[in-house]
Amino acid sequence: MEIFGYPEGLDLLTRWIHIIAGITWIGLLYYFNFVQAPFFAETEAGVKSAATRQLVPRALAWFRYSALVTFLAGVILLLVRLDVFGAEQVFGSAYGFVVLTAGILGTIMFINVWAVIWPNQKIVIGSAQAVAGGGSADPRAEGATRRGMLASRTNVVLSIPMVFFMATSGHGGFLFRESTSGERWAYWLIFAGLLALIEGNALIGLTGALKKPLEKVGPVIASGFVLVVVLYVVLAVFAIL
């Protein structure tokens, strides 16, 4: 196998980039939620302002661009497999169901980064810079902080099943086996409904009861593991037995 050959070489290099970028992205996601957020809640205003202006923009740059590289590398990996094996074999297999589940979760997380978290953080950073320069705070900053936080916490919840299914797609074949039984379309309907509820809760607050677990780190992590179990059970019942 040539390291730059097709398809093995391209698959290897792209997978390597995908993993490195993914580690960077998810690592920073956990840093923001498990380290930075509690620190900001406890520290004095001056330190928080300085960090918001000087530290956060740097961290967010690595965060959003590592998310972009992870997403693009994942798309290339999928296209290579489709070219080599064909859509029917990829999407109709246990591997296809598992990796597509992970890919959809990752795509929603990627969209949250660029369409929700980053736009709201730009408002927060701009407001901190204006105050430091002697101006007035942006009245949108408080709401932007809240919206960005909810989207970021939602990404933590989604990241736990995303990593589980991404890892098991290639290395956990013993967890899944092919089956011709089951209504596989039902799995995607249930999956879509769960994601709509979770993402809708983050964006527009469909229910306060679901939003409450996002307030603290412990329930956020627990929610992610619960989602793993729910999706695994639904996948086993309706798609792969």
Side-chain angles (χ1 to χ4, degrees):
M1 179 189 73
E2 296 181 5
I3 193 168
F4 294 109
Y6 182 86
E8 293 90 349
L10 178 61
D11 182 87
L12 171 62
L13 289 173
T14 307
R15 190 175 302 278
W16 182 36
I17 293 170
H18 185 62
I19 292 172
I20 290 175
I23 290 170
T24 305
W25 176 20
I26 302 304
L28 283 166
L29 173 67
Y30 293 164
Y31 158 76
F32 285 131
N33 284 275
F34 303 159
V35 179
Q36 180 178 287
F39 172 74
F40 275 11
E42 297 171 357
T43 193
E44 57 268 25
V47 174
K48 180 178 178 180
S49 174
T52 301
R53 291 181 285 111
Q54 299 170 17
L55 171 65
V56 173
R58 291 183 175 90
L60 282 171
W62 282 97
F63 177 66
R64 66 183 186 276
Y65 286 112
S66 60
L68 177 62
V69 173
T70 304
F71 173 76
L72 293 177
V75 171
I76 293 172
L77 284 170
L78 180 59
L79 291 176
V80 169
R81 284 202 170 258
L82 288 173
D83 181 55
V84 174
F85 298 106
E88 183 176 352
Q89 184 173 348
V90 172
F91 294 132
S93 65
Y95 165 84
F97 268 82
V98 176
V99 80
L100 194 57
T101 295
I104 292 172
L105 291 169
T107 299
I108 292 174
M109 292 170 60
F110 165 73
I111 293 172
N112 278 341
V113 169
W114 281 90
V116 184
I117 298 172
W118 173 232
N120 282 289
Q121 283 299 314
K122 282 196 292 185
I123 295 173
V124 175
I125 293 168
S127 178
Q129 290 171 338
V131 172
S136 300
D138 190 328
R140 302 174 298 166
E142 184 176 353
T145 299
R146 176 73 176 168
R147 286 188 292 273
M149 183 274 287
L150 290 174
S152 185
R153 292 290 173 87
T154 297
N155 271 10
V156 172
V157 173
L158 297 179
S159 74
I160 296 174
M162 184 272 290
V163 172
F164 173 80
F165 287 111
M166 193 66 71
T168 54
S169 67
H171 304 287
F174 63 92
L175 294 174
F176 309 100
R177 59 186 175 86
E178 305 293 344
S179 173
T180 56
S181 63
E183 299 292 344
R184 293 186 168 187
W185 57 265
Y187 169 72
W188 294 119
L189 287 178
I190 296 171
F191 182 55
L194 285 171
L195 291 186
L197 185 63
I198 293 168
E199 185 66 10
N201 179 60
L203 298 178
I204 59 178
L206 292 178
T207 132
L210 287 179
K211 190 171 288 188
K212 187 175 181 181
L214 299 179
E215 302 290 344
K216 295 184 178 180
V217 169
V220 167
I221 296 173
S223 297
F225 282 100
V226 168
L227 186 57
V228 170
V229 174
V230 171
L231 289 177
Y232 184 84
V233 170
V234 176
L235 188 66
V237 171
F238 292 102
I240 304 166
L241 303 179

